[in-house]
Amino acid sequence: MNKILNEYNQLCREFNQYENNVIPLCAAENYVSDFCMKPLISNFEGKYSFTGSSGNNSFIGGEYVERLNNLLKRQCKIMFGANYTNTETLTGINCFTVCAMSLLSAADMVLVTTPEQGGHASIPVILDAIGIRYDPVPYDYLNYQIDYTKLNELCQSQKYSYIIFCQSDVINPPNLEQINMPENMGIIYDSTQTLGLIATGVTTNPLSISDNVILIGGSHKTLPAPSCGIIMTNNEIYAKKLQKHITPDYLRNTQPNHSAALLLSLIEQEECGYEYQKLIVDSANMLGSELSHLGFNLAKLNRTSFTFTHQLFLLMSEEETDTFYMTAKHYNITLNKKHKKLFNYDGIRLGTQQIARYNWSNSEIKILAQLLYSVKIQNETEIKRLRSNLISQKIPHFTYEDISIK
């Protein structure tokens, strides 16, 4: 057998063993059901489709992809109330890039959530690359929220064309109802982290607040789908610009097999999602409470809530953060370390979207908190015992496996 193929097969065996034995607390990953994975190896893979101004598809057979896209538009109308939907991008940042290139010009100036506030680090890089000037969105670090008084002052200055919310680290999502902006100002809202919460009504849908919103996001965090990007708006002017430019100006091969997988994930969430998405947030707050009782210092929003999303912020010194991260890595517990102002400069980000897929109760959450405490004090015996207990409880729930795709 080919040597490289042998090595690949060995890599797959090792990776499968790793996945089977991981405690998944990374806020950026999720379990994807077999139901949602099936389209990835369907005949949609690699197919092209493009309908130009003539209204005719220039690829023979492209009408099947067109019909798929129409199904997605109908499903997104049900889930998000979106009049315009595009799923031709592959990731959340890919979404933002094509939106910025389609909607912004060199004359525009925008407001952006910065990396120090939890904003995605790629956004300033992309804006710099296409020559868009920007200022930071005013932020209240004590409350982990936008400073709306200062933001509204900037909005009324008439200097800015768009506000860009693109938060990777977020426990308190922006409240668009508190924003007072001119009619000609727009919001590009990257909901990659909270897309599943929005789709099922657990978190407020930005599209329901203003017609001047472009809601974008990647589909592989709280929304448990294979990697895909989604762009939605109810603004006809924005929709026309996006429709004109995304394909074929900036995208050609649009990976319709991923779009099909996204469609099935949205169907799964329509049927099974509310209970699951609510459990994500409930589990995060249960875990936060247990960790607080064990002496961890956590970000907190009010007397009873540590988060309104799937994320928790553990606040530590730089040395404690690095040690905790390396110990967790050694024992196959996924999480993220952070060194930025949002975490009081150092800390750990946890996510509960994947463990909620296992439908863990309060008893498993208590065991998980004890495991993280054992990581903190580096108690190897307890780490191994508690890990073993939780690994046996990794049984997927909230899936739509009874549907078969022919």
Side-chain angles (χ1 to χ4, degrees), residues 25 41 82 121 160 163 182 267 271 282 320 357 362 380:
L25 294 174
I41 57 171
Y160 304 97
I163 307 169
I267 291 171
E271 298 296 326
D282 290 345
E320 288 172 328
R357 206 76 194 269
N362 195 40
E380 181 177 3

Side-chain angles (χ1 to χ4, degrees), residues 31-44:
Y31 166 82
V32 182
S33 69
D34 291 343
F35 170 69
C36 297
M37 292 286 279
K38 286 177 181 177
L40 296 184
I41 57 171
S42 70
N43 286 331
F44 280 116

